[in-house]
Amino acid sequence: MGTKAPSSDLKKLEAELLQDIAGAGDLAGIEQVRVATLGKKGRVSEQMAKLGGMAPEERKAFGQEVNELKGRVSEALEARKIVLEGEALTARLASERADVTLPVRLGPVGDGRIHPVSQVFDECVEIFADMGFAVAEGPDIETDDLNFTKLNIPDEHPTRQEHDTFYFRPKADGSRLLLRTHTSPVQIRTMEVQQPPIRIIAPGRVYRCDSDQTHTPMFHQIEALVIDESTHFGHLKWVLEEFCKALFEVDDVKMRFRASHFPFTEPSAEVDIGAEAIGKPGQWLEILGCGMVHPNVLANCGLDPERYQGFAFGVGLDRMAMLKYGIPDLRAFFSADLRWLRHYGFSVLNVPTLAGGLSS
Ligand code: PHE
């Protein structure tokens, strides 16, 4: 017949294909071989195309051979691909290996410092969150009504003078806005929109026209408010004691409640702590004002004072930072002196948690 037996051609083709497969060095290479072999215009498909021009007998035998060849070549392709995939994965794992024993390289983050007020702020929020308090907020610019009147401080009340308030220019109707002199207006804002039980803290900035070593025109307070049907002064004392122990990171703190007066609480007290906790034995330091919320304040917010009661307190955050971290002059807190911040500031990575230590 003059034509070579087709099967010898196929054997040669198979040998070549298997050689190509074995020679593929990576996944892209094996894909190329696959397309050149089994693709539409690949060498096996080329053989398939011959079938159309063959006599039925010949076609049957040749078709079977080509099919068998195709099966073997496909298997070889698959097997080689698995080997190459394994090699690629091993190479990738080797190149991406992280040496977890290397020291941390902080970069610029390591140079930044958390301000002591921010630090103490975060510490307090952590402590009160653990006791089940939610965080509430109010604006720095307040109305007379919320900063004073609703807190049982009517017009002409002497406390208004004591607060050294920064007022804005009066509006046409005679009302005037002011910079809040304490965080207590957040008590009113909360009670006006929320039914008891209430358990919130409200940290924020407050303003008074005052400046010396322990006073700045702007400083920070944390207000706390608890209202329900049964909370009493004993609860207040317990909360304050636990708070101080947690904040100063001591097992025992000596506290003193001094009778005092705030128009919005009755009875009222100021709290001192024994300064030995911060290395000044024999001295007392005033840290906060507190008391049972005055019935008039509850009524001003639409709550029935016959049914509801509770306590409130306001802590000076900057004072706490001074005490805890032994910082003598409050004015330096706000002078933006980088040397001061490097000395008294905290690492960005030192996030206060009760479990991990607040300030360690
Ligand atoms: N608002 C008071 C102050 O700034 C502190 C305080 C808050 C007292 C809540 C009693 C209850 O001095």
Side-chain angles (χ1 to χ4, degrees):
M1 292 227 305
T3 49
K4 264 189 281 169
S7 60
S8 75
D9 276 353
L10 287 182
K11 287 227 162 59
K12 202 171 144 228
L13 175 62
E14 180 170 349
E16 279 173 28
L17 291 177
L18 291 178
Q19 203 178 345
D20 287 351
I21 292 169
D26 55 23
L27 288 168
I30 195 75
E31 176 62 9
Q32 262 177 18
V33 175
R34 191 191 64 77
V35 172
T37 308
L38 304 176
K40 249 195 218 149
K41 293 183 181 146
R43 298 178 71 186
V44 171
S45 313
E46 237 169 41
Q47 298 299 318
M48 295 286 204
K50 289 184 184 166
L51 289 169
M54 287 179 176
E57 280 294 290
E58 202 187 353
R59 183 191 302 166
K60 190 174 168 210
F62 186 75
Q64 195 180 343
E65 276 191 63
V66 175
N67 263 333
E68 283 169 11
L69 173 140
K70 189 179 176 187
R72 288 190 296 274
V73 168
S74 300
E75 259 174 43
L77 272 168
E78 199 47 42
R80 182 71 187 141
K81 193 174 163 205
I82 289 172
V83 169
L84 290 172
E85 275 172 352
E87 283 175 8
L89 181 63
T90 309
R92 200 172 135 205
L93 286 176
S95 75
E96 289 180 359
R97 178 159 55 215
D99 183 350
V100 294
T101 64
L102 285 173
V104 177
R105 224 179 284 135
L106 278 181
V109 170
D111 295 335
R113 282 288 172 274
I114 300 292
H115 194 283
V117 171
S118 300
Q119 173 75 17
V120 169
F121 182 112
D122 290 343
E123 292 176 15
C124 291
V125 170
E126 174 72 13
I127 294 168
F128 285 117
D130 187 59
M131 290 191 205
F133 285 77
V135 175
E137 281 182 313
D140 291 13
I141 297 175
E142 260 305 357
T143 61
D144 225 61
D145 188 49
L146 290 167
N147 194 78
F148 292 126
T149 316
K150 286 240 165 59
L151 283 162
N152 202 30
I153 313 174
D155 265 340
E156 314 309 328
H157 193 285
T159 310
R160 293 205 179 200
Q161 263 78 62
E162 284 164 31
H163 274 215
D164 303 310
T165 313
F166 288 110
Y167 285 100
F168 288 80
R169 224 175 255 123
K171 289 192 260 186
D173 63 2
S175 70
R176 50 188 181 170
L177 293 170
L178 47 81
L179 291 176
R180 66 177 176 187
T181 58
H182 50 180
T183 40
S184 300
V186 184
Q187 288 186 38
I188 307 296
R189 289 177 172 274
T190 305
M191 286 187 279
E192 280 183 341
V193 297
Q194 202 182 315
Q195 283 299 308
I198 292 170
R199 202 186 284 173
I200 55 118
I201 56 165
R205 298 179 176 202
V206 300
Y207 306 82
R208 291 182 199 173
C209 187
D210 204 351
S211 187
D212 60 35
Q213 194 177 336
T214 52
H215 297 88
T216 48
M218 185 280 295
F219 57 104
H220 301 80
Q221 288 187 335
I222 288 194
E223 193 82 8
L225 176 70
V226 174
I227 301 288
D228 55 28
E229 297 184 17
S230 57
T231 289
H232 54 68
F233 207 95
H235 296 126
L236 169 60
K237 287 184 77 171
W238 181 85
V239 165
L240 289 175
E241 230 171 83
E242 290 305 306
F243 165 62
C244 287
K245 284 196 289 191
L247 184 71
F248 290 106
E249 300 175 69
V250 291
D251 292 331
D252 204 18
V253 59
K254 230 165 63 188
M255 300 181 78
R256 174 168 85 171
F257 285 74
R258 271 183 298 107
S260 182
H261 176 264
F262 300 101
F264 36 93
T265 48
E266 179 59 35
S268 305
E270 279 174 317
V271 175
D272 305 333
I273 60 165
E276 47 266 43
I278 53 154
K280 291 186 180 170
Q283 287 182 45
W284 292 97
L285 288 151
E286 185 194 320
I287 53 164
L288 60 90
C290 64
M292 299 305 293
V293 176
H294 197 289
N296 289 353
V297 174
L298 294 169
N300 288 343
C301 301
L303 296 180
D304 178 4
E306 296 296 324
R307 178 165 174 205
Y308 295 116
Q309 60 182 42
F311 65 74
F313 59 84
V315 191
L317 263 185
D318 318 78
R319 287 232 61 204
M320 294 301 244
M322 291 174 79
L323 293 175
K324 179 163 182 182
Y325 295 112
I327 307 171
D329 192 329
L330 183 61
R331 288 167 298 195
F333 276 59
F334 310 111
S335 62
D337 182 339
L338 273 181
R339 291 164 307 175
W340 183 89
L341 197 56
R342 281 193 196 108
H343 181 77
Y344 286 111
F346 293 81
S347 161
V348 178
L349 297 182
N350 179 20
V351 178
T353 64
L354 288 176
L358 288 177
S359 61
S360 59

